[in-house]
Amino acid sequence: MSKVFVLDHPLIQHKLTYIRNKNTGTKEFRALVDEVSALMAFEITRDLPLEETTIDTPVMEAKTKVLSGKKIGLVPILRAGLGMVDGILRLIPAAKVGHVGLYRDPETLKPVEYYIKLPTDIEERELIVIDPMLATGGSANDAIHSLKKRGATNIKLMCLIAAPEGVEVIQKEHPDVDIYLAALDEKLNEKGYIIPGLGDAGDRLFGTK
Ligand code: PRP
Ligand code: URA
């Protein structure tokens, strides 16, 4: 069964409160999502493997550590996942970025895929699928199936806020995919919105309605 990590670092929780607040405008919302994404990336990369190297400091030779060349790929789910990309890239600048375009049909709540473009070597990469919201789980579930169909074997899912319903879907369909969250909320409302949530992540990020 996949593990669920709720990243309870005080800075993440503090910023998430402002992200949730309906009085936070687009500019500030975007900046906060970017900052929280960077803080979450710090936690999600905790288990990256290191190897020893030898360098000369100005004083003497020293045995130190560097990342052992693990290849990372970020896969934002369009649109709202885009808001999390730059924050993560600040910490992992060498990561490649693939895109999966999905929207949720407002009537059926089922995801509709309209775009996919991935790095050619996804089977060698640790992929981090990113989307602020894991609601019914339909979008993330489809995106992960799409990646697996194309050869991906090592996938993590990173979201700001999840509903228990969405977590359950991912755990059932993808027991190999660990889930990293800033918050696990109470439930979905009748329109499939996470409550208390933050509203429509794409609209709040891009100023649309
Ligand atoms: C939102 C969100 C997720 C999806 C989550 O996207 O960014 O992708 O809903 O819902 P689910 O877990 O029930 O599938 P939306 O469909 O609103 O598209 P957008 O990002 O283009 O606004
Ligand atoms: N998508 C959003 O943007 N917000 C929700 O609460 C659920 C799905």
Side-chain angles (χ1 to χ4, degrees):
M1 161 104 71
S2 58
K3 293 194 272 297
V4 180
F5 300 95
V6 179
L7 307 179
D8 59 358
H9 191 288
L11 288 175
I12 294 177
Q13 295 306 313
H14 175 82
K15 289 173 195 291
L16 187 62
T17 295
Y18 287 88
I19 288 173
R20 287 183 188 276
N21 191 326
K22 69 174 185 185
N23 296 318
T24 299
T26 302
K27 182 168 167 238
E28 203 187 343
F29 185 91
R30 209 178 273 152
L32 286 161
V33 169
D34 176 81
E35 286 169 26
V36 168
S37 304
L39 292 167
M40 290 182 75
F42 190 76
E43 293 280 337
I44 205 172
T45 50
R46 188 175 278 284
D47 59 357
L48 282 182
L50 292 167
E51 63 189 22
E52 282 218 331
T53 186
T54 306
I55 49 135
D56 294 316
T57 77
V59 182
M60 64 174 287
E61 190 180 276
K63 279 201 194 322
T64 56
K65 292 187 170 129
V66 286
L67 291 172
S68 70
K70 186 140 198 167
K71 293 170 150 190
I72 308 257
L74 306 182
V75 184
I77 300 180
L78 306 180
R79 284 177 302 170
L82 288 177
M84 301 174 72
V85 173
D86 287 352
I88 304 173
L89 283 180
R90 274 204 302 285
L91 293 197
I92 323 172
K96 293 208 168 161
V97 183
H99 295 85
V100 179
L102 289 171
Y103 70 88
R104 216 167 61 144
D105 183 295
E107 300 297 322
T108 64
L109 299 184
K110 296 272 177 268
V112 182
E113 185 175 304
Y114 59 87
Y115 184 78
I116 185 152
K117 183 83 180 173
L118 301 168
T120 49
D121 55 356
I122 56 163
E123 64 287 349
E124 293 167 30
R125 292 186 178 268
E126 175 169 322
L127 298 181
I128 307 175
V129 174
I130 51 182
D131 193 325
M133 310 306 276
L134 180 65
T136 64
S139 304
N141 179 30
D142 264 32
I144 294 168
H145 274 304
S146 262
L147 296 175
K148 287 184 173 173
K149 206 168 66 189
R150 290 167 174 81
T153 55
N154 188 348
I155 302 174
K156 290 177 172 171
L157 174 63
M158 173 173 157
C159 305
L160 295 187
I161 302 180
E165 293 89 331
V167 168
E168 203 179 303
V169 166
I170 300 301
Q171 287 188 314
K172 183 161 163 274
E173 295 277 325
H174 305 287
D176 55 318
V177 175
D178 287 341
I179 305 170
Y180 294 77
L181 306 171
L184 179 58
D185 275 9
E186 199 188 320
K187 59 178 181 179
L188 297 175
N189 71 9
E190 66 291 348
K191 290 190 180 139
Y193 275 84
I194 300 175
I195 54 173
L198 55 72
D200 188 303
D203 284 346
R204 293 199 63 196
L205 265 173
F206 298 110
T208 49
K209 253 272 167 284

